[in-house]
Amino acid sequence: LGVAERGVHRAQCRGDAEHTRSLVEAQGRRCLAISGDLGDARHCDDVVARTVDELGRLDVVVNNVATQEPYDKPEGERRGIVIVHTGDGKGKSTAAFGLALRATGRGKKVIIYQFMKVPSARFGEHRMFEQLGVPVEGLGDGFSWKSQDLEKSAQLARDGWQRAKAAILGGEHFLVVCDEITYPLMYGWLDLQDVLETLRTRPRHVHVCLTGRRCPDEIVALADTVTEMRQIKHAFEAGIPAQRGIED
């Protein structure tokens, strides 16, 4: 049975379909909200049928196709891009790990370099990527305020950059993640011009993701995709300590 035969009303809204659904359900009606075009009657009937089977009753189907803008598919060449996750909010490294997971799921070769983590670090991401066969290399000795020898920390960063640079230029990897690389750049431990030149001259198919606060303007200008994580609230401010599986 289709929409009409099941006694289901079909409507469009000009705003948020989920908001419209909440208004409809506040009147005691069971409503399904869908973003996108339900112009295909067969598709609409299938959606309704599955929903009725699951919920037992459905009164209204609402979608916001009236507000959908046409999508212009880019016509440029697919190539490796430079991605930057910066800002003072939580999620920069987490987003990079999600990107690495996605690429790995597509059978792509990925390597992750962590400029501020020690080689022996065993956080959640290390344990998971180890199971997936994705190498994660800690290149540092912790954050600078914990360092007992800043010159040693600087040399570790320089040595680590040479490893990451070789991976970026080598062309064997689909994605190279340089996690927290902005900190050694910020401290002056790495040559910014060398990093920029490496990004410019890398093989065209290689994607590079860089994370960390206060990313240099020159890298932001060179990058293809830049996201700034902005902190609005953080659990730590409410006295909630870091938790395994969330922060580490």
Side-chain angles (χ1 to χ4, degrees):
L1 295 176
V3 176
E5 290 83 353
R6 289 177 180 268
V8 177
H9 296 282
R10 179 177 169 189
Q12 291 183 349
C13 66
R14 291 185 177 275
D16 183 357
E18 283 295 330
H19 177 64
T20 304
R21 179 193 61 78
S22 65
L23 295 176
V24 172
E25 292 199 338
Q27 300 175 16
R29 298 184 178 184
R30 187 67 61 83
C31 180
L32 171 68
I34 301 177
S35 294
D37 189 3
L38 286 179
D40 184 336
R42 180 175 297 178
H43 172 61
C44 184
D45 290 347
D46 290 344
V47 171
V48 169
R50 289 197 302 270
T51 305
V52 171
D53 288 343
E54 292 175 6
L55 303 181
R57 190 188 99 224
L58 183 64
D59 300 311
V60 180
V61 177
V62 60
N63 71 296
N64 62 350
V65 67
T67 63
Q68 299 296 309
E69 296 294 332
Y71 176 73
D72 293 328
K73 185 177 180 180
E75 297 180 357
E77 176 189 3
R78 283 191 171 89
R79 59 171 177 80
I81 61 175
V82 175
I83 303 167
V84 171
H85 299 156
T86 191
D88 64 358
K90 176 177 169 56
K92 297 177 288 294
S93 296
T94 307
F97 299 149
L99 187 63
L101 182 64
R102 173 178 288 167
T104 301
R106 289 291 189 177
K108 308 294 186 181
K109 191 172 183 180
V110 175
I111 189 165
I112 300 170
Y113 294 100
Q114 294 188 296
F115 279 81
M116 303 304 291
K117 297 292 191 297
V118 297
S120 59
R122 291 288 293 163
F123 299 128
E125 62 267 25
H126 301 96
R127 299 165 188 263
M128 189 68 251
F129 282 123
E130 182 179 277
Q131 295 180 44
L132 297 173
V134 176
V136 181
E137 297 190 19
L139 304 174
D141 58 356
F143 281 93
S144 59
W145 59 83
K146 296 182 179 180
S147 176
Q148 302 300 312
D149 185 343
L150 286 178
E151 180 50 41
K152 177 186 176 184
S153 299
Q155 189 58 51
L156 285 172
R158 289 190 286 268
D159 293 343
W161 166 243
Q162 292 305 312
R163 295 176 64 83
K165 177 180 178 179
I168 293 170
L169 296 178
E172 295 182 7
H173 294 85
F174 173 81
L175 172 65
V176 179
V177 175
C178 296
D179 185 39
E180 297 173 336
I181 190 175
T182 64
Y183 300 103
L185 283 168
M186 189 190 312
Y187 303 149
W189 295 348
L190 300 182
D191 181 357
L192 175 59
Q193 294 306 314
D194 186 26
V195 174
L196 290 169
E197 184 64 16
T198 299
L199 295 175
R200 290 192 190 102
T201 60
R202 75 192 191 283
R204 285 184 60 79
H205 65 279
V206 175
H207 302 265
V208 182
C209 181
L210 307 98
T211 78
R213 298 185 180 206
R214 293 169 56 186
C215 183
D217 292 340
E218 295 87 344
I219 292 180
V220 170
L222 180 149
D224 300 284
T225 299
V226 179
T227 300
E228 181 178 16
M229 275 63 167
R230 182 171 65 90
Q231 181 170 308
I232 298 175
K233 295 174 67 176
H234 197 294
F236 184 80
E237 297 171 342
I240 302 173
Q243 302 178 69
R244 286 188 172 179
I246 301 299
E247 278 78 22
D248 71 357

